[in-house]
């Protein structure tokens, strides 16, 4: 009976994720085609606020926004606003499509979900190459990567594969991919209180002394609420943490 209920729960979750992805509107997005993979990639680009002066000689920074599985890439405006107010160009990326395989629900996730994460990394690398020529006043060589849940796993993997191209990573309760242990990559990860991360994803105390990583637990927060649609107190708290992290980079 328990196995049957578990199977029904998984199928329901997959159906819900598929429904969310299939009904998401991309009307306000640009679409860039990766011809090598025959893949049309919706993206939402937001320019810096406050008339930031970005030139080919003095480039402004770039941040990529990577959503949780089943949530629209356009549902993290509190993050993109924080970046935009600090002179960043943000690129919110739609990673998941109905034609893609479902996100694997079997352990070990470092093996079974690598296909999904690596596909996301390939998409980000393609966009970096495409957009850097279209936006010469922005620096695509030292990226800021943001991701919630599975989007955080993609961000962490990208930072591990291309460490020299990433300056900082922010994740909201990603739980599967190990945080890069790299002294040149600043990391903020905000942790929900309802699910634990897998083994070795987070840094232990001795590692925290060596690497510029901040791990912050938000009490009474839920993993699935960590986006624009979450409770106001949580969105406000996450905004404050992200803004403080970005501002600390200027000190």
């Amino acid at each position: 009976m328990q196995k049957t209920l578990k199977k029904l729960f998984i199928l329901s979750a997959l159906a819900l994720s598929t429904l969310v992805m299939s009904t998401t509107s991309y009307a306000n997005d640009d679409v860039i085609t990766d011809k090598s993979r025959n893949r049309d990639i919706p993206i939402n680009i937001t320019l810096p606020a406050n008339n930031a002066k970005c030139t080919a000689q003095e480039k402004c920074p770039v941040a990529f926004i990577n959503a949780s599985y089943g949530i629209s890439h356009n549902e993290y405006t509190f993050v993109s606003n924080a970046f935009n107010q600090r002179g960043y160009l943000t690129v919110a990326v739609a990673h998941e499509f109905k034609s893609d395989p479902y996100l694997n629900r079997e352990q070990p996730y470092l093996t079974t979900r690598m296909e999904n994460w690596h596909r996301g990394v390939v998409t980000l690398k393609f966009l970096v190459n495409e957009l850097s020529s279209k936006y010469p006043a922005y620096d695509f060589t030292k990226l800021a990567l943001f991701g919630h849940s599975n989007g955080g796993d993609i961000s962490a993997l990208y930072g591990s594969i291309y460490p020299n191209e990433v300056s900082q990573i922010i994740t909201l309760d990603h739980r599967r991919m190990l945080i890069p242990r790299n002294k040149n990559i600043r990391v903020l990860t905000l942790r929900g209180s309802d699910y634990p991360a897998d083994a070795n994803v987070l840094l232990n105390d001795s590692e925290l002394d060596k690497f510029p990583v901040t791990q912050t637990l938000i009490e009474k927060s839920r993993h699935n609420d960590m986006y624009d649609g979450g409770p106001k107190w949580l969105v406000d708290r996450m905004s404050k943490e992200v803004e403080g992290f970005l501002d600390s980079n200027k000190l």
Side-chain angles (χ1 to χ4, degrees), residues 146-197:
F146 163 84
H148 173 206
S149 190
N150 196 63
D153 295 321
I154 293 171
S155 300
L157 181 60
Y158 192 101
S160 297
I161 296 176
Y162 300 110
N164 295 330
E165 300 177 17
V166 177
S167 63
Q168 52 194 337
I169 297 173
I170 299 173
T171 78
L172 305 182
D173 208 39
H174 86 287
R175 297 163 52 214
R176 313 302 184 188
M177 183 64 205
L178 279 60
I179 290 174
R181 274 69 167 171
N182 188 311
K183 293 183 178 180
N184 295 318
I185 300 178
R186 298 174 68 244
V187 178
L188 169 66
T189 181
L190 302 181
R191 312 308 305 169
S193 60
D194 50 349
Y195 298 114

Side-chain angles (χ1 to χ4, degrees), residues 43-239:
I43 60 173
N44 191 336
I45 294 178
T46 309
L47 297 176
N50 301 324
N51 299 314
K53 296 180 180 179
C54 308
T55 67
Q57 290 71 39
E58 296 187 19
K59 297 185 178 185
C60 292
V62 175
F64 279 86
I65 309 295
N66 303 290
S68 174
Y69 190 79
I71 296 180
S72 167
H73 57 295
N74 292 320
E75 292 284 354
Y76 298 89
T77 58
F78 73 94
V79 175
S80 59
N81 287 340
F83 278 113
N84 294 151
Q85 291 294 330
R86 288 157 180 80
Y88 286 76
L89 176 145
T90 60
V91 185
V93 183
H95 283 288
E96 313 296 344
F97 306 113
K98 290 188 292 182
S99 58
D100 294 334
Y102 290 131
L103 188 66
N104 200 298
R105 305 285 172 169
E106 300 295 328
Q107 292 272 19
Y109 295 124
L110 278 178
T111 299
T112 61
R113 293 190 176 179
M114 189 57 68
E115 180 275 336
N116 177 284
W117 303 336
H118 190 263
R119 176 166 20 96
V121 168
V122 172
T123 292
L124 291 178
K125 186 61 174 174
F126 166 76
L127 291 172
V128 167
N129 293 335
E130 288 289 308
L131 296 175
S132 59
S133 60
K134 295 182 179 180
Y135 293 87
Y138 297 91
D139 187 359
F140 286 84
T141 67
K142 290 293 182 181
L143 303 172
L145 300 177
F146 163 84
H148 173 206
S149 190
N150 196 63
D153 295 321
I154 293 171
S155 300
L157 181 60
Y158 192 101
S160 297
I161 296 176
Y162 300 110
N164 295 330
E165 300 177 17
V166 177
S167 63
Q168 52 194 337
I169 297 173
I170 299 173
T171 78
L172 305 182
D173 208 39
H174 86 287
R175 297 163 52 214
R176 313 302 184 188
M177 183 64 205
L178 279 60
I179 290 174
R181 274 69 167 171
N182 188 311
K183 293 183 178 180
N184 295 318
I185 300 178
R186 298 174 68 244
V187 178
L188 169 66
T189 181
L190 302 181
R191 312 308 305 169
S193 60
D194 50 349
Y195 298 114
D198 290 349
N200 301 318
V201 168
L202 303 178
L203 279 65
N204 59 36
D205 290 341
S206 63
E207 290 175 321
L208 288 172
D209 289 335
K210 299 176 183 177
F211 301 103
V213 175
T214 301
Q215 300 173 166
T216 301
L217 173 66
I218 301 181
E219 296 287 351
K220 299 181 180 179
S221 65
R222 300 196 329 153
H223 177 88
N224 291 335
D225 288 342
M226 302 178 86
Y227 74 113
D228 283 351
K232 184 178 184 301
W233 73 265
L234 178 56
V235 175
D236 289 345
R237 171 69 186 278
M238 292 188 296
S239 298

